[in-house]
Amino acid sequence: MLNSNFFESIKKRLDKLDENSLRSILSDAIEESAMLKTVFNSMNEGVLVLNNDLRIFFANKMAIKNLKINSVSISNEPIDNVISNEKIVKIITETIKNEEKLISREIKVSGKNYISLSIYPLVKSSKIIGSILIIDDISLSKENELKLLRAENL
């Protein structure tokens, strides 16, 4: 995996690199980007990355599924244009506006569907440059919890 120091050193020497070296570096970067996308799309948790303007920078497949996002192109879209659940949008915007963390907040999405939402600051060079949202579908565990409560009551 290429590290950020590698890219910083390349930026400093960019005008001195020949065409073949540039092609090789670009090819490696494209492969790494594709691998990272594959990793995020293989996760069971949804990952949504927002910039400070509450615009979507990245969303993996599970984030799109768990938040019931229908839009095809969501990159750089404001979250309130993409997420239809007003309760979720309000929780996200208030948490980020107040520069708070949110850890495992259970939210009823609809009917028997529940998600767990966590929000963390995205920090670069000691500055908050956005937010990372982790969205987990907890509907099955909530259903099992209710079944267990019913069984205990009997």
Side-chain angles (χ1 to χ4, degrees):
M1 181 176 270
L2 302 175
N3 64 39
S4 60
N5 294 335
F6 173 76
F7 286 114
E8 289 301 318
S9 67
I10 294 299
K11 274 177 39 177
K12 291 175 185 172
R13 301 182 304 133
L14 201 55
D15 56 334
K16 297 174 185 163
L17 293 172
D18 62 50
E19 187 177 332
N20 287 336
S21 296
L22 285 173
R23 285 178 195 262
S24 175
I25 292 167
L26 183 58
S27 177
D28 290 347
I30 290 169
E31 281 183 36
E32 183 166 333
S33 175
M35 176 55 107
L36 288 173
K37 188 174 182 179
T38 300
V39 168
F40 278 105
N41 282 327
S42 298
M43 294 175 62
N44 288 329
E45 297 83 14
V47 178
L48 187 72
V49 181
L50 304 175
N51 67 17
N52 282 331
D53 296 329
L54 299 177
R55 291 181 174 272
I56 296 173
F57 176 76
F58 173 81
N60 71 351
K61 288 180 182 179
M62 288 306 290
I64 291 168
K65 179 182 176 195
N66 291 343
L67 293 172
K68 303 194 182 339
I69 297 172
N70 296 326
S71 181
V72 175
S73 176
I74 61 171
S75 185
N76 205 35
E77 284 291 320
I79 59 164
D80 54 353
N81 285 0
V82 175
I83 300 172
S84 59
N85 187 311
E86 292 177 20
K87 181 179 180 181
I88 294 173
V89 172
K90 184 178 179 184
I91 291 168
I92 293 169
T93 54
E94 286 180 2
T95 301
I96 293 172
K97 184 178 81 176
N98 296 330
E99 295 182 350
E100 298 173 336
K101 279 186 188 175
L102 180 69
I103 300 175
S104 299
R105 168 101 178 255
E106 291 183 6
I107 303 168
K108 185 175 185 175
V109 180
S110 64
K112 294 181 180 182
N113 296 328
Y114 290 84
I115 62 168
S116 171
L117 176 65
S118 297
I119 303 173
Y120 304 95
L122 178 62
V123 180
K124 181 179 179 182
S125 303
S126 301
K127 290 182 184 175
I128 296 175
I129 61 167
S131 299
I132 303 169
L133 285 66
I134 307 297
I135 307 102
D136 201 8
D137 184 346
I138 58 169
S139 302
L140 186 59
S141 62
K142 289 295 281 184
E143 186 177 325
N144 289 337
E145 189 179 300
L146 286 172
K147 286 180 183 177
L148 185 60
L149 280 173
R150 285 186 202 125
E152 285 176 1
N153 289 337
L154 292 175

